[in-house]
Amino acid sequence: VVEIQYQGSAEQFSWVLPVPGIPEIGVSSTLALDRLQAATNPQYILNTEIEGRCAFDDNNDANNDANNNPFNNFDGDNNDVDVVGAGTVGPFDFEIISVDPELDNAADVAVQWLEENGYEVTPQTPDLLGPYLEDGMNLIGFRLTNGAGVESIRPIMMTYETDDPMIPIRPTAVAANDDMGIMVFNVAPGRAVPANYRHLVLNEAAINWFVPSSNYRLVVERAADEAGGQGFVTELAAPTSNFSNTILTPNEFEEIAQYRLRVEAGSPVDIIEHSLSFLGWDGYMEALSQSWSGDGELEELLDCPQCFFNSFGNVIVGFDMAGFLALMENTVIGPMEKTHELLGSEAYLTRFFTTMSPFEMTTDPVFTVNPDLPDVSNVHTLTRMVMCDDDLSVDEAPWWADFDGVQVHGVGQRWPVRIGKLPANRRIEQLGASGPPEVVVDNTEEIRQELSELGLGAPTEQPETPDEGDEGDVGGGESASDAGGGCSAVSGSSPGGGALVLLLSLVALRLRRRGRFFV
């Protein structure tokens, strides 16, 4: 399942991917991926414990307040290209072409065919597609059907046989922004690992734990850059059974069942009224629009289907009920059910995230399974110890926190660590199909030394306060409204007090082009 976001005109939209053989093509659901992403987003929970008694803080109320801050068949004369598959799925027309890999200029032949058939290509396209064609892979091209707008673009689902799943990232380089976000969900018998990319273990001291969403993505960007632009963070690795109600809830299964009962009853008014349960699902408005040719606007039909009902014929004049039912099953309900089934088809879910710029997209990431590795929780917790006395409030008191043997010391409610002053990776690893990680780079001692030199790593030293003007380089101080990250931020206090939860999905990071992959 592959999702991109596109900016531009519908007429100029084209999307070409290399595929093995002739895959089965379908559509998935943006809603399904949004729900899966929200359920697996990283969460950073900062707990606070008080040593001593803070000024003006008889019941630790100051502490509680402080911790509540907050991706047409060809009929020309190009005989070196065979159209081996074509069709329409959801808002897309697609064609699958095969080019003889023995040709000296297979990529040029493919590009000529794409240009003659209305696909957008760039000067880099032959070099990008050539290696896939030499390996005997086919190409699949997608364009929007006539009348479909860019708002109709949704994830596609391709089913084919392969040894290990691979993301064809190289062709993406022609339309990618710098530091494009790439999110991968992998379902498999065990924990998945990047076989040919590095594995990134973040330096969590560089994350602003007061507002993690303010710089989490920047930490990942710099971590990926430290690994040569080709590395993934494992944000979660856990049994899929933990997410059995994520894509479809029990209530929604009941709504689907009730809707299908109404379909059997055959009343068009009942069908439309019960279909409103899926109003926010991918493809619903397109299904209704394609099925309605009557007098009146779609909104009028939705508001009052009985107003258009002809009881004598038991019909709504202008409403193609059979066409609507088919579209509901094939493009609205079916894709959600299939993606739900895909998630539950294997025992284990792994989520990866990274960012890449076009010049870094030189190798397609391949994923394999390593059953020897442990689970990875998306929930991260940290306890800071605030050192109070009668002259200092929580907002003024010094504190310290321990990251698995690396201490950070700060004052008040600003995170003291600047991203640019420390490595973004605690470790860079290489993972394989078995056994423990091979540590390529271990920055633990460098991080500890840098913190000490900055006065942030020893209790007797006065922590340096970050300058307000260090844009993009300060670990603390950003407000949640400026956040560009992809995590949940939770601040808690002990004893007593509540918690503020900020859910900032990576969907908010969508630039001109970014991708989510479900493999």
Side-chain angles (χ1 to χ4, degrees):
V1 179
V2 185
E3 180 200 47
I4 64 166
Q5 187 174 20
Y6 166 81
Q7 287 183 355
S9 68
E11 293 76 16
Q12 291 180 312
F13 174 83
S14 60
W15 185 11
V16 179
L17 293 170
V19 291
I22 305 175
E24 176 186 340
I25 304 298
V27 289
S28 183
S29 167
T30 299
L31 177 63
L33 293 185
D34 285 348
R35 290 179 175 182
L36 181 59
Q37 180 176 318
T40 58
N41 273 338
Q43 301 177 41
Y44 286 84
I45 303 172
L46 179 62
N47 296 314
T48 296
E49 294 185 5
I50 304 293
E51 287 192 3
R53 186 178 185 85
C54 296
F56 313 109
D57 190 18
D58 290 340
N59 296 307
N60 283 326
D61 290 337
N63 176 52
N64 295 339
D65 292 339
N67 281 282
N68 283 333
N69 290 322
F71 186 136
N72 296 336
N73 290 341
F74 175 60
D75 55 4
D77 57 1
N78 192 336
N79 296 320
D80 294 318
V81 175
D82 291 327
V83 178
V84 296
T88 298
V89 58
F92 303 109
D93 292 327
F94 70 88
E95 295 157 300
I96 305 171
I97 64 170
S98 175
V99 182
D100 185 354
E102 300 300 323
L103 292 174
D104 292 335
N105 59 342
D108 293 333
V109 170
V111 167
Q112 179 186 350
W113 185 94
L114 291 169
E115 289 178 326
E116 290 173 347
N117 284 267
Y119 289 87
E120 295 286 329
V121 297
T122 68
Q124 303 98 315
T125 301
D127 291 337
L128 292 169
L129 297 182
Y132 300 102
L133 297 173
E134 291 172 7
D135 289 342
M137 298 181 75
N138 295 332
L139 300 178
I140 182 168
F142 294 92
R143 287 175 296 181
L144 289 169
T145 59
N146 287 334
V150 295
E151 71 280 354
S152 301
I153 295 174
R154 58 192 294 185
I156 58 169
M157 180 180 289
M158 299 182 293
T159 305
Y160 52 82
E161 292 188 5
T162 186
D163 293 332
D164 289 315
M166 174 270 291
I167 297 174
I169 201 69
R170 286 177 289 174
T172 305
V174 300
N177 287 351
D178 286 343
D179 295 315
M180 183 185 85
I182 301 170
M183 185 176 295
V184 182
F185 298 94
N186 179 288
V187 289
R191 176 177 160 182
V193 299
N196 59 340
Y197 274 43
R198 299 300 194 190
H199 181 245
L200 312 178
V201 180
L202 297 181
N203 170 20
E204 292 192 332
I207 295 171
N208 176 0
W209 282 73
F210 288 116
V211 191
S213 53
S214 67
N215 76 336
Y216 173 81
R217 190 180 196 276
L218 182 57
V219 173
V220 174
E221 286 180 12
R222 298 198 177 186
D225 289 342
E226 290 173 10
Q230 296 183 348
F232 282 94
V233 177
T234 299
E235 293 187 321
L236 174 133
T240 53
S241 57
N242 295 357
F243 308 96
S244 57
N245 296 325
T246 295
I247 293 179
L248 283 173
T249 67
N251 285 341
E252 287 172 329
F253 276 114
E254 179 62 25
E255 289 171 350
I256 292 172
Q258 290 298 320
Y259 163 77
R260 285 170 173 159
L261 284 175
R262 295 297 175 178
V263 168
E264 294 177 4
S267 168
V269 173
D270 277 354
I271 288 171
I272 291 178
E273 288 179 343
H274 280 77
S275 75
L276 291 175
S277 298
F278 317 107
L279 180 60
W281 291 22
D282 297 56
Y284 178 85
M285 291 304 297
E286 288 84 355
L288 191 65
S289 175
Q290 293 177 40
S291 307
W292 176 242
S293 60
D295 297 330
E297 301 294 330
L298 281 179
E299 290 75 11
E300 295 174 323
L301 178 65
L302 286 173
D303 289 341
C304 184
Q306 63 270 21
C307 297
F308 298 87
F309 182 60
N310 184 327
S311 58
F312 180 77
N314 193 32
V315 297
I316 293 177
V317 177
F319 177 58
D320 178 6
M321 189 167 72
F324 178 73
L325 294 178
L327 288 169
M328 283 292 294
E329 289 294 332
N330 295 330
T331 67
V332 181
I333 297 175
M336 286 288 284
E337 290 179 320
K338 289 178 181 178
T339 309
H340 171 87
E341 292 167 3
L342 176 59
L343 177 60
S345 65
E346 295 285 1
Y348 211 79
L349 170 68
T350 311
R351 165 173 157 164
F352 303 96
F353 181 62
T354 193
T355 64
M356 295 185 75
S357 297
F359 71 90
E360 296 165 332
M361 298 178 179
T362 58
T363 302
D364 296 328
V366 176
F367 299 88
T368 190
V369 172
N370 183 333
D372 300 331
L373 297 176
D375 292 357
V376 176
S377 175
N378 64 321
V379 180
H380 309 260
T381 60
L382 177 68
T383 297
R384 66 173 184 140
M385 300 295 300
V386 179
M387 317 300 291
C388 275
D389 60 36
D390 292 339
D391 297 324
L392 294 174
S393 69
V394 170
D395 287 341
E396 301 167 330
W399 54 264
W400 62 272
D402 186 88
F403 293 89
D404 192 22
V406 174
Q407 285 194 3
V408 171
H409 291 255
V411 174
Q413 300 300 306
R414 290 182 62 85
W415 194 255
V417 179
R418 303 178 185 183
I419 299 174
K421 299 295 185 181
L422 298 177
N425 287 295
R426 178 78 176 248
R427 293 188 306 279
I428 300 175
E429 303 172 338
Q430 187 63 55
L431 303 179
S434 63
E438 174 192 345
V439 178
V440 179
V441 177
D442 189 337
N443 291 318
T444 300
E445 288 305 318
E446 180 182 347
I447 293 168
R448 185 179 286 113
Q449 181 65 30
E450 291 289 342
L451 287 171
S452 178
E453 292 178 2
L454 292 168
L456 305 177
T460 58
E461 296 168 335
Q462 180 64 28
E464 176 183 327
T465 300
D467 297 331
E468 295 283 355
D470 290 340
E471 182 179 354
D473 197 41
V474 179
E478 297 92 337
S479 67
S481 61
D482 297 327
C487 59
S488 302
V490 182
S491 293
S493 60
S494 175
L500 177 67
V501 180
L502 305 178
L503 298 178
L504 300 178
S505 169
L506 282 167
V507 174
L509 299 175
R510 290 173 176 171
L511 304 175
R512 182 166 59 188
R513 181 148 185 181
R514 68 111 187 134
R516 288 190 297 198
F517 302 84
F518 190 2
V519 293

